[in-house]
């Protein structure tokens, strides 16, 4: 509103505001997308696959790395609570990758066949020594990922080594019967 008022009061400055308006528009768009991902009811309403698609679009718009996520049809066979936990785990993984990995690519895959579920998230970043990191005081995010998975009845496997990126596998084993 202030920019529009300034443009009306000083038409000669209109051209100078173009870059600022573009930046504000992008920030507003990112903020809207981010606010949706913080709303648990919204996530429960649209489902895991749709919110993952929105989040990958938001991450790609940041242009820090490229997120590769093939379209997945259908609905996951997770409970709403499990879907929310999987999404929160993915958010933690992607934020860790943004902050620490130096990755250029983040590959996601969801397989929800035969009553099972598996999310894989792999980056091509610098990697780390998993056991050493988990033993350190710095790994609260990693420990949180493992804890959220366990509390939700899922398993979490983390594979990484220096120079070889990182792979997370979040899994629900298909129930028998």
């Amino acid at each position: 509103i202030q920019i529009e008022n300034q443009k009306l009061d000083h038409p000669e400055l209109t051209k100078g505001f173009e870059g600022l308006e573009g930046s504000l528009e992008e920030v507003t768009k990112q903020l809207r997308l981010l606010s949706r991902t913080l709303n648990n009811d919204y996530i429960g309403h649209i489902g895991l696959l749709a919110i993952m698609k929105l989040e990958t679009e938001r991450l790609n718009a940041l242009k820090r790395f490229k997120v590769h996520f093939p379209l997945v049809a259908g609905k996951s066979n997770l409970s709403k609570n499990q879907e929310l936990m999987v999404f929160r785990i993915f958010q933690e993984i992607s934020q860790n990758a943004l902050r620490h990995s130096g990755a250029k690519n983040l590959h996601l895959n969801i397989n929800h066949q035969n009553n099972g579920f598996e999310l894989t998230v792999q980056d091509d970043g610098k990697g780390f020594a998993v056991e050493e990191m988990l033993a350190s005081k710095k790994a609260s995010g990693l420990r949180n990922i493992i804890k959220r998975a366990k509390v939700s009845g899922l398993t979490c496997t983390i594979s990484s080594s220096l120079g070889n990126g990182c792979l997370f596998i979040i899994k629900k084993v298909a129930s028998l019967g």
Side-chain angles (χ1 to χ4, degrees):
I1 292 171
Q2 289 176 333
I3 291 173
E4 289 303 317
N5 286 339
Q6 288 295 318
K7 286 170 35 180
L8 289 173
D9 293 343
H10 306 282
E12 69 278 4
L13 299 176
T14 299
K15 190 143 184 87
F17 284 117
E18 288 175 1
L20 182 59
E21 287 176 308
S23 295
L24 280 174
E25 192 173 314
E26 183 58 31
V27 166
T28 302
K29 180 180 165 187
Q30 286 296 317
L31 192 55
R32 276 194 200 112
L33 285 171
L34 181 60
S35 69
R36 287 181 187 160
T37 68
L38 297 174
N39 183 331
N40 292 348
D41 291 335
Y42 181 76
I43 295 168
H45 177 70
I46 71 167
L48 178 65
L49 302 177
I51 197 68
M52 291 290 286
K53 183 177 182 300
L54 279 175
E55 185 67 357
T56 58
E57 289 171 3
R58 187 185 77 77
L59 290 168
N60 277 329
L62 296 174
K63 297 181 177 155
R64 299 269 306 277
F65 52 53
K66 173 75 176 140
V67 181
H68 306 271
F69 182 48
L71 291 176
V72 181
K75 292 182 68 164
S76 83
N77 49 35
L78 300 174
S79 70
K80 284 191 179 212
N81 183 53
Q82 286 175 318
E83 284 192 348
L84 179 60
M85 285 301 116
V86 166
F87 181 65
R88 296 293 180 228
I89 289 168
F90 171 66
Q91 285 183 307
E92 183 71 38
I93 292 168
S94 61
Q95 287 308 305
N96 283 347
L98 278 171
R99 276 185 289 213
H100 307 295
S101 76
K104 294 189 180 354
N105 294 283
L106 190 70
H107 295 271
L108 311 179
N109 192 35
I110 291 179
N111 183 348
H112 58 101
Q113 306 293 318
N114 303 324
N115 201 31
F117 176 88
E118 182 178 272
L119 166 68
T120 60
V121 183
Q122 185 167 19
D123 71 52
D124 59 1
K126 63 185 178 183
F128 59 94
V130 176
E131 294 305 318
E132 188 177 307
M133 184 61 73
L134 286 171
S136 78
K137 292 182 180 184
K138 297 188 232 177
S140 63
L142 288 176
R143 285 190 293 275
N144 190 30
I145 289 168
I146 294 166
K147 187 179 191 179
R148 282 184 177 203
K150 188 175 184 178
V151 166
S152 301
L154 305 167
T155 62
C156 175
T157 307
I158 306 170
S159 302
S160 185
S161 61
L162 291 175
N164 293 311
C166 189
L167 170 66
F168 288 84
I169 302 173
I170 310 300
K171 202 173 204 176
K172 171 189 165 194
V173 181
S175 59
L176 301 174

